[in-house]
Every structure is written in C-alpha cells, then in structure tokens.
Amino acid sequence: MHPAPSVIVFTSLSGLGFGLMFWMGFGVPDVFGWTAFWMYFVAYALAVGGLIASTLHLGNPQRAIKAFSQWRTSWLSREGVAAVLTLLVVAAYAIELIFFQSRYPLLGWIGSLLAIATVFTTSKIYNQLKTVPRWNLPLTPLLFLTYALAGGALLAGQVLTAAVLLLVLTGLQMVAWQMGDKAFANAGHSIETATGLGHLGKVRQLENAHSSPNYLMKEMVYVVARKHAQKLRAIALVTLGLLPAAILLFLPFNHALALVAVASHLIGVFTARWLFFAEAEHVVGLYYDKR
Amino acid sequence: MTALPQTTEKKLGLVIDLDICVGCHACVVNCKEWNTSNYGAPLSDIDPYGAEPMGTFLNRVHSYEVKSEGCNAQTVHFPKSCLHCDDAPCVTVCPTGASYKRAEDGIVLVNEDNCIGCGLCAWACPYGARELDQMEGVMKKCTLCVDRIYNENIPEIDRLPACVRTCPAGARHFGDFADPDSNVSRLSAERGGMELMPEQGTKPVNRYLPPRPKSDVTAENKIDLLAPYLAPMDEADSAKGFLGWLDKALEKI
C-alpha cells in the first residue's frame, strides 16, 4: 500500500495523543492547573493534529462532515464519531482540572475508555480489510492499542510503566512482522485464484492492461523501497522501544533525557508505521503479477 | 445507509467469455466514451499526451499467459470491471453512505455528491474495480450503465451496458442472474461460469466463462496436413540441381 505521509502522521500522532489522554483520565500523572494545561495541550495537539492530517488525503475534504453518518456499518465513520466524543468528554474533564483544580473521576474514566476505543476503531479501519492479509490479522488492533498505551505512558512520564510497555511493544511488533510475512501466503490468494485460470496451468502476465501506472498501482501496488525493509525494521525496534526503555530504566530521570526518549520513540513509530503501509500487500497486485 | 440489502429483486450482471475475448479493448474505449459524458463526473485523463498518461477507467483488459507442463502456452485476455458483489465490502466500509447497493437490481453505485474521496472502498475491493478520479476527487466505478439499460430515450437495442453493446466478438453478455432461465444464468450453468477470488467471500455476481480446452497440434497420432511441406530438405536433396549449385556458391562467398 502507498505509505501516504498524511495517514502515517495521522495514525502515529493521534494514537500517541489518545494514549496520553487515556492515562491522564485515570489521574496519571496527578496534575492540576498549568501542568495539566500543558499536558493536555500536547495531547490535543497530537490527537487533533493527526486528525487534521488525515483529511489531507481526501479528494473532497469539504464534505468530511458526512463521514460521521455511517457509524452503524463503517469503522472509518465510527472512528470519526469516537474521536469527536473523546475530544469533547476529555475537554470537559481537562477544564475542571485546569481551572477548578478539582477532579471528577467518573468523567476521567469515561474519557479514558473513549480514548482507547478511538484507537481501536483506527486499527479496525485497517484490520477489517481482507484484501490486505498482513493487516487482516487479530494482532493488528492489539498492536495499535499497545502503541497508544506505551507512547501515552511515556508522554505521561510514567517511568516504569512506560519502560515495561515499550519492551512489550517491541516484542509484539516483532511477532506482528513475523506473522505478517506469512499472512499473504496463508490467505491462499494467487494469480491463479484471482483469474480463475489455475485449472489450465501456471498463469503469468503477458502484457500490461495499460501502458503507464494507474490509481490502483500507485495506491495499492506500492513496491518501492521494500528492499530496505529489514534495516528499517531493526531501526524501528531500537528507536521505538529498546532505546527509550533503556533510557528510562538505566539513566537518572530528568526532562532532557525524557525528551530524547520521546524523540527516539517518535522516530521509531514513524518508521514502523511507514513499514506498516509500505510492506502491506493488496490482493489486487495479483492482477498485475506484482505483490 | 451503507448497509447491504438482505436480498435484491434482480441480480444484474455480466458474463464474460474468456474463450472468445480477443483483447481488442473496444469495451474499454466504449465504456470510457459513454461514462465520461453521462452518470456523474467525467472520467478525467491526467497528462494524456505526455510521457506518463494516466486516466480513470471503469473497465480494463488484462492479458495473461497460461501454461501447464507439456502443453502449449495459451493467451487469455481478461476484461475486468466491477463484479457487483452480493456481499460487497466496498459498500460497508464507506463512511459517508456514498457507496450503496441497490435493492431493486443489485447494482453497486456511488453517489458522488456524498463521496469525500477517502479511497477506503478501493482498498476494500479485491478486484481493483474502483478508481479515484484524480481531477474530481471522487470514486468512480462501473455503473452497469444504469443510464443506458433503463433509458427509454435510446433505441431498445442499445439498452445494454456500453461494453456489451460494443464487443465485436460477442464475449460479453448482460442479464439477470436472479432468474435461472435468463441468458446469463444459462450460459454460466452450461460453461461453468466462475467467480473471481471466491476465497475473499465477496459473492461476486459477474461470472467468467473459462477458455474451452484447446486441441494440441503437437500431440502424437494427430494428422498434420502441413508437416510434409515444412519438413527440412535432407542433405542429398539439397546437393542437387540449381538450388544445390546456388547453395554451394553462396557458401563460398
């Protein structure tokens, strides 16, 4: 799949933002006033910034409001609804923390549940697609949720929780890559099932259906730069989990080091999310004899 | 609402005969011609006379070679457009309700006024039947020429999808699969009409007729009328007469 920057930015940043909102809804960390303001500023900048980025790839963003209407059937619509509900509920909770120095726990918990539900709906947009076997694994939602919880804990300054979750995330990401590498073959799709000509023999493309690439090939038959996938995976594992966890566990906690850990994690998340799209193989590639 | 209808009264669709298709792309051209000036936004072309011309098409013809051990390879031209699936994954993923499947005839359509161009339906389709128009930013797909098949302003003989009407080889057929006695149902039953990628569970309506078995001219015990004329001359023959002299003369040069 084409790794569109807008979608990589959206899923990475809004995941982190909603992850931070999740922890803060439980009073983790226990902050009020200006500290709470700045933390919620970061959470909203990430979540809303990501959501705005996601509208950049739309062909007709002026009609985006209509995307809230089909929540009964569409995960994308559910995500929009969940995101707006989360932002509203968390805003009410945050206003109380910031301006009235008090906490209404029930509102916080509801906000946290909504925040994590939003991340789940994001993951389902990709996970539901049978056409992309690598995404169509039960691990995909779990991976997105762990990304949000680990990144959120890191931003919330929860040293031990974040370190443990980052290590869990690193392991989970490794397993996801290993399972993902086999997913296409396991799903049983081939150029023979795509064309229905398998009973006649081995099928290969004789001639292109069109002389230059079309929307389908640019969007779904993205094969560029996969040769660096293994190196990028290694970079992602070190930067998203191992390095930040090591900083948290073995170095004395201070804000400068925490910033390094966050920056490293962000680089790792972007790299892993780029791979999430670039390595995803859509079955339509079979019609082009490409994967 | 982008929920799929439980059942559809009719199941309009195509039968595509892979035995007959010659790969002339006339269906592609006539589809583009009709659909660029009728239902919805025009089908734009980007850089049409440049180095890498791109455009929106609702129908494409692929060409494959099929070869099995010990047999001659054969060419199969393979037209591909929307299969108007009963369980269309492109419809249910749509966040705005722009994509829908009609309860009356099963045609899958896009209401372009509601389409935000997110592209998720194209991702959900295993067949590559949907293309996002680069100029209009809305999703385009085969409408089964909904503006022809019911159109009383055109002669009755033309009330067929443009691709079917134009096919010079008669490789495309249009009809109602819900009726077991329709032309398409009978053709499909007789010739073993197949679904594409059945493992995706989309329950496509369109059917593809597999190529008929080819006779193998190289098989033993076959009478080959041309063989005696094509056999190479033996050494003794080639050495005689004028041709023999010419052969030797040319060898010496």
Side-chain angles (χ1 to χ4, degrees), chain A residues 10 13-18 21 42-52 87:
Chain A
F10 152 59
L13 294 190
S14 64
L16 279 172
F18 287 118
M21 287 180 197
V42 169
Y44 271 81
L46 290 169
V48 178
L51 289 169
I52 290 171
L87 294 176

Side-chain angles (χ1 to χ4, degrees), chain A residues 241-258:
Chain A
L242 297 179
L243 183 64
I247 290 173
L248 294 177
L249 289 175
F250 301 119
L251 294 175
F253 182 81
N254 65 49
H255 279 97
L257 275 176

Side-chain angles (χ1 to χ4, degrees), chain A:
Chain A
M1 306 294 287
H2 174 63
S6 61
V7 182
I8 293 172
V9 167
F10 152 59
T11 57
S12 306
L13 294 190
S14 64
L16 279 172
F18 287 118
L20 178 55
M21 287 180 197
F22 170 82
W23 291 106
M24 292 189 69
F26 290 106
V28 178
D30 194 12
V31 287
F32 296 94
W34 275 109
T35 319
F37 172 81
W38 284 114
M39 292 195 74
Y40 273 111
F41 180 82
V42 169
Y44 271 81
L46 290 169
V48 178
L51 289 169
I52 290 171
S54 76
T55 64
L56 293 179
H57 83 285
L58 298 181
N60 281 285
Q62 77 281 7
R63 298 199 274 257
I65 191 89
K66 293 186 176 183
F68 294 107
S69 65
Q70 305 300 309
W71 49 270
R72 286 197 200 90
T73 46
S74 164
W75 280 107
L76 180 51
S77 185
R78 282 172 200 162
E79 194 222 21
V81 172
V84 169
L85 277 179
T86 308
L87 294 176
L88 291 175
V89 170
V90 172
Y93 176 71
I95 285 169
E96 209 193 353
L97 284 185
I98 295 164
F99 296 104
F100 301 98
Q101 316 282 331
S102 70
R103 184 192 307 283
Y104 185 49
L106 186 62
L107 199 60
W109 299 338
I110 294 173
S112 294
L113 287 179
L114 280 170
I116 213 66
T118 306
V119 177
F120 179 72
T121 55
T122 307
S123 73
K124 285 304 285 181
I125 295 171
Y126 306 103
N127 176 234
Q128 67 177 335
L129 298 172
K130 281 179 87 172
T131 48
V132 185
R134 185 183 284 276
W135 294 349
N136 196 226
L137 298 170
L139 209 57
T140 304
L142 190 64
L143 195 64
F144 272 64
L145 291 174
T146 314
Y147 265 102
L149 291 179
L154 180 63
L155 290 175
Q158 302 306 300
V159 176
L160 197 61
T161 316
V164 170
L165 280 171
L166 286 169
L167 292 175
V168 170
L169 175 64
T170 309
L172 206 60
Q173 179 63 78
M174 276 174 73
V175 175
W177 279 330
Q178 276 168 5
M179 288 175 73
D181 288 345
K182 298 182 205 128
F184 202 101
N186 288 346
H189 307 300
S190 65
I191 190 170
E192 282 79 20
T193 68
T195 58
L197 298 171
H199 63 288
L200 295 173
K202 187 87 197 81
V203 181
R204 72 181 182 106
Q205 183 175 246
L206 183 68
E207 195 179 19
N208 273 322
H210 31 86
S211 52
S212 48
N214 65 347
Y215 166 75
L216 297 172
M217 296 182 74
K218 287 183 187 262
E219 183 77 5
M220 283 165 266
V221 195
Y222 184 89
V223 292
V224 186
R226 275 200 207 139
K227 63 177 176 174
H228 296 306
Q230 292 304 327
K231 280 179 207 161
L232 287 170
R233 283 181 181 185
I235 290 168
L237 289 180
V238 171
T239 52
L240 81 83
L242 297 179
L243 183 64
I247 290 173
L248 294 177
L249 289 175
F250 301 119
L251 294 175
F253 182 81
N254 65 49
H255 279 97
L257 275 176
L259 207 63
V260 173
V262 170
S264 165
H265 180 68
L266 257 180
I267 292 169
V269 173
F270 280 133
T271 312
R273 208 44 62 83
W274 186 88
L275 285 167
F276 179 77
F277 288 99
E279 287 195 292
E281 298 156 322
H282 194 286
V283 294
V284 79
L286 294 171
Y287 288 105
Y288 292 94
D289 218 346
K290 284 194 168 83
R291 285 265 301 274

Side-chain angles (χ1 to χ4, degrees), chain B residues 227-248:
Chain B
Y229 299 101
L230 295 175
M233 291 190 293
D234 60 35
E235 284 290 319
D237 282 345
S238 64
K240 287 175 193 163
F242 172 71
L243 284 177
W245 170 82
L246 189 63
D247 182 33
K248 281 176 194 156

Side-chain angles (χ1 to χ4, degrees), chain B residues 23 76 117 152 188 233:
Chain B
V76 179
E152 294 185 356
S188 179
M233 291 190 293

